[in-house]
Amino acid sequence: MKKWQFITLIILGVLFGIYQMLSFTGLLAVFKNSTWANEPNIREGEISITTNPISPSPGDFVSYRFKYPDSLDSHYRIHRLVAVENDVLEIKDGVLFINGKKFDKNYALTHEYKISIEEFNKFDVVRREIGEDYRWMKPQDTITKFIDDRVAEKLNLKERKVVEAKSELDQTIKAIYSRNWNKDNFGPFKIPLGKVFIMGDNRDQSEDSRYIGPIDKSALKGVLIE
């Protein structure tokens, strides 16, 4: 082995050791996003970096350790922290309120919208956003797609947002909260002591606290560096 190769290996080994130490302590952790849960702000396949010296506040993306009740294995997830202990959370027709104030006005979000095939093929921006082609369907057919709210507003699709009526019962949510709530009409719910409530920015495609319950504060491991 040549001297420069040996030195390169030493340097790489040291750097890898430093990264492992930073990751183990939570000072610096790297994640590859594998879901649509936080679009449009964290894209599928995007790399995220978190750190734990920063105290999380509502509005921050946080990493946390999660384990299903019937599983021995845990894994890390990233969602947006929206409420902390003693906050009162309510979702009305798909809009999130914390302590009576509209939380959603501060963030770009993704929701599910109804759109005709004719419109889908007409609006290049929609095809770029969701990367699919439905030319094989009839023009009058309607599909539902996850679209960035900002794009939906540009295309005058705001009134086409899919919202579950109050009367629609979600069995998963009922099993956790013992209430006849759903993802779009939820609460009011007071966050218990020692807990936080997390949600994905893709409000219609996210397994978050609506479906898994509030998260223990102790499970939080870091804040996303944006």
Side-chain angles (χ1 to χ4, degrees):
M1 180 182 292
K2 294 181 180 180
K3 185 177 179 180
W4 69 267
Q5 292 176 319
F6 177 74
I7 294 173
T8 300
L9 286 175
I10 293 296
I11 293 172
L12 290 175
V14 170
L15 291 175
F16 180 74
I18 292 172
Y19 169 73
Q20 288 292 92
M21 181 188 69
L22 292 173
S23 182
F24 179 78
T25 59
L27 288 172
L28 192 70
V30 179
F31 302 92
K32 184 175 181 180
N33 185 47
S34 60
T35 75
W36 299 349
N38 294 304
E39 293 201 3
N41 297 302
I42 304 179
R43 301 285 184 180
E44 183 182 17
E46 189 172 307
I47 300 298
S48 298
I49 301 174
T50 65
T51 185
N52 65 6
I54 303 172
S55 297
S57 301
D60 290 336
F61 279 115
V62 294
S63 62
Y64 61 96
R65 187 178 287 278
F66 174 75
K67 182 176 77 69
Y68 287 107
D70 57 351
S71 173
L72 297 176
D73 297 323
S74 63
H75 59 276
Y76 283 99
R77 292 184 172 187
I78 292 178
H79 280 108
R80 193 182 293 280
L81 176 65
V82 299
V84 298
E85 56 187 22
N86 292 321
D87 281 343
V88 176
L89 176 147
E90 187 169 12
I91 304 173
K92 303 176 184 177
D93 292 328
V95 179
L96 174 62
F97 294 84
I98 305 296
N99 300 322
K101 295 181 180 179
K102 187 177 177 181
F103 185 90
D104 288 348
K105 67 180 180 179
N106 300 315
Y107 304 101
L109 303 172
T110 291
H111 286 91
E112 194 171 21
Y113 289 86
K114 290 181 180 178
I115 184 170
S116 72
I117 296 301
E118 186 175 25
E119 289 170 322
F120 179 83
N121 289 323
K122 175 182 175 183
F123 298 140
D124 289 339
V125 66
V126 174
R127 292 201 300 279
R128 285 199 301 271
E129 282 287 315
I130 63 179
E132 298 178 48
D133 193 339
Y134 286 85
R135 282 179 291 187
W136 55 273
M137 297 182 74
K138 297 176 182 178
Q140 65 268 27
D141 287 342
T142 299
I143 56 174
T144 59
K145 280 292 155 193
F146 302 116
I147 301 175
D148 183 329
D149 288 347
R150 296 166 298 184
V151 173
E153 186 167 9
K154 284 180 184 177
L155 302 178
N156 296 316
L157 298 174
K158 286 182 67 176
E159 302 303 317
R160 315 268 197 88
K161 187 165 75 171
V162 178
V163 178
E164 292 185 355
K166 264 190 171 183
S167 58
E168 295 184 55
L169 171 64
D170 189 304
Q171 293 292 348
T172 301
I173 292 175
K174 184 173 183 179
I176 295 172
Y177 293 96
S178 302
R179 296 288 187 274
N180 293 332
W181 298 338
N182 59 46
K183 66 179 178 64
D184 293 323
N185 286 282
F186 184 105
F189 175 71
K190 186 175 182 179
I191 313 303
L193 293 177
K195 302 282 188 177
V196 298
F197 203 98
I198 49 90
M199 291 181 68
D201 283 359
N202 185 341
R203 292 292 168 76
D204 296 328
Q205 185 71 14
S206 175
E207 188 183 46
D208 49 40
S209 284
R210 292 170 293 180
Y211 298 100
I212 61 175
I215 302 298
D216 290 336
K217 284 175 65 177
S218 61
L220 299 180
K221 298 303 178 184
V223 176
L224 185 72
I225 300 173
E226 298 187 68

